[in-house]
């Protein structure tokens, strides 16, 4: 859970507050915080109140986008910080096409994970 810089903030098109995610998932906010703590989601402090927020692209209806947790694990294993992961996930990749976050939401997680693994080489 980190403070976000303006460059990365501009890359992410939409954000959700933790209570909103809890409502979408029909769970307690503490469970959403646990998802963040467990590395299944990335939350950053942003806005006037510095409230914790998660990129909306990480949520698919009432669940975390398929493949996101595995991708985050691969990036963490490569010593990416939360900011670096967000930057990588939301920076357009012409070979995908689109952003890795967009590819995950379109069920193209295998390609995203391939690229994440290639970063370690």
């Amino acid at each position: 859970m980190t403070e976000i810089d303006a460059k990365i903030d501009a890359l992410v098109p939409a954000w959700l507050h933790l209570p909103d995610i809890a409502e979408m998932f029909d769970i307690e906010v503490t469970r959403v915080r646990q998802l963040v703590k467990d590395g299944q989601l990335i939350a950053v402090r942003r806005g006037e109140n510095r409230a914790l927020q998660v990129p909306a692209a990480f949520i698919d209806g009432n669940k975390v986008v398929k493949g996101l947790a595995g991708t985050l694990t691969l990036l963490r294993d490569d010593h990416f910080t939360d900011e670096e992961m967000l930057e990588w996930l939301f920076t357009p990749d012409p070979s995908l096409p689109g952003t890795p976050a967009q590819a995950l939401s379109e069920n193209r997680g295998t390609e995203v994970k391939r690229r994440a693994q290639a970063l370690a080489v």
Side-chain angles (χ1 to χ4, degrees):
M1 294 177 254
T2 39
E3 189 84 30
I4 190 157
D5 76 22
K7 176 184 168 197
I8 296 168
D9 196 21
L11 287 173
V12 180
W15 296 89
L16 293 170
H17 291 87
L18 300 192
D20 297 332
I21 296 169
E23 189 175 314
M24 293 167 79
F25 288 10
D26 195 26
I27 59 176
E28 297 294 322
V29 175
T30 53
R31 179 68 188 118
V32 178
R33 289 183 186 278
Q34 191 64 44
L35 290 171
V36 172
K37 186 177 177 186
D38 292 345
Q40 295 182 45
L41 287 172
I42 296 174
V44 296
R45 295 199 177 277
R46 60 184 297 277
E48 263 183 44
N49 300 332
R50 296 189 58 247
L52 282 174
Q53 296 180 42
V54 171
F58 291 173
I59 307 303
D60 180 16
N62 62 351
K63 62 187 185 315
V64 175
V65 167
K66 182 180 173 186
L68 177 66
T71 302
L72 295 179
T73 298
L74 286 170
L75 295 172
R76 276 194 188 92
D77 288 350
D78 292 339
H79 306 289
F80 273 56
T81 63
D82 285 358
E83 295 85 4
E84 290 167 335
M85 287 189 274
L86 287 171
E87 185 173 1
W88 185 79
L89 285 163
F90 287 95
T91 298
D93 180 343
S95 68
L96 269 173
T99 66
Q102 181 183 354
L104 284 172
S105 70
E106 294 169 355
N107 206 21
R108 295 186 287 140
T110 304
E111 281 304 307
V112 174
K113 286 181 187 168
R114 240 183 238 134
R115 283 164 176 75
Q117 287 172 323
L119 296 172
V121 177

